[in-house]
Amino acid sequence: MTPIHLDDPNDPRLADYVALTDVELRRRVEGDRGVFIVEGALAIERLVQSSYAVRSVLTNRRAFERLRDVLADVDAPVYVVADDVMRATVGFDLHR
């Protein structure tokens, strides 16, 4: 796994993470795309250890350092962004 550092909240690779505060939009995105979104370091750790395929990971720099070993063998993009890009993308401080 090589982290992908992004600095633009409008980057199309972040589309799955846009406007997570809108519950209806989130449910529609999850249902339409056949995915579910997990939040927080512990949930990411459990997802990686599960039988589910990881589509992608979005994390801030601080959380990435904590999760680096957990994500080492993930065969999916791992996007690392600054806190302001995270807020602009998802609509709140995801890794409080």
Side-chain angles (χ1 to χ4, degrees), residues 41-85:
L42 182 58
I44 292 170
E45 289 174 15
R46 290 193 175 156
L47 173 61
V48 169
Q49 296 168 355
S50 76
S51 61
Y52 292 102
V54 176
R55 179 179 169 126
S56 67
V57 175
L58 173 63
T59 184
N60 66 15
R61 293 173 183 149
R62 184 178 59 256
F64 174 72
E65 291 307 320
R66 174 181 172 196
L67 292 166
R68 181 185 294 271
D69 291 341
V70 172
L71 297 172
D73 295 326
V74 168
D75 187 26
V78 175
Y79 304 120
V80 181
V81 298
D83 291 339
D84 62 325
V85 175

Side-chain angles (χ1 to χ4, degrees), residues 4-69:
I4 302 166
H5 296 271
L6 301 176
D7 58 7
D8 180 1
N10 297 310
D11 189 303
R13 293 173 286 185
L14 298 177
D16 286 342
Y17 301 98
V18 173
L20 294 181
T21 57
D22 183 327
V23 176
E24 285 304 313
L25 175 60
R26 180 175 175 162
R27 285 186 185 138
R28 195 168 44 251
V29 166
E30 289 177 332
D32 290 350
R33 296 182 187 165
V35 301
F36 62 93
I37 298 168
V38 300
E39 299 174 23
L42 182 58
I44 292 170
E45 289 174 15
R46 290 193 175 156
L47 173 61
V48 169
Q49 296 168 355
S50 76
S51 61
Y52 292 102
V54 176
R55 179 179 169 126
S56 67
V57 175
L58 173 63
T59 184
N60 66 15
R61 293 173 183 149
R62 184 178 59 256
F64 174 72
E65 291 307 320
R66 174 181 172 196
L67 292 166
R68 181 185 294 271
D69 291 341

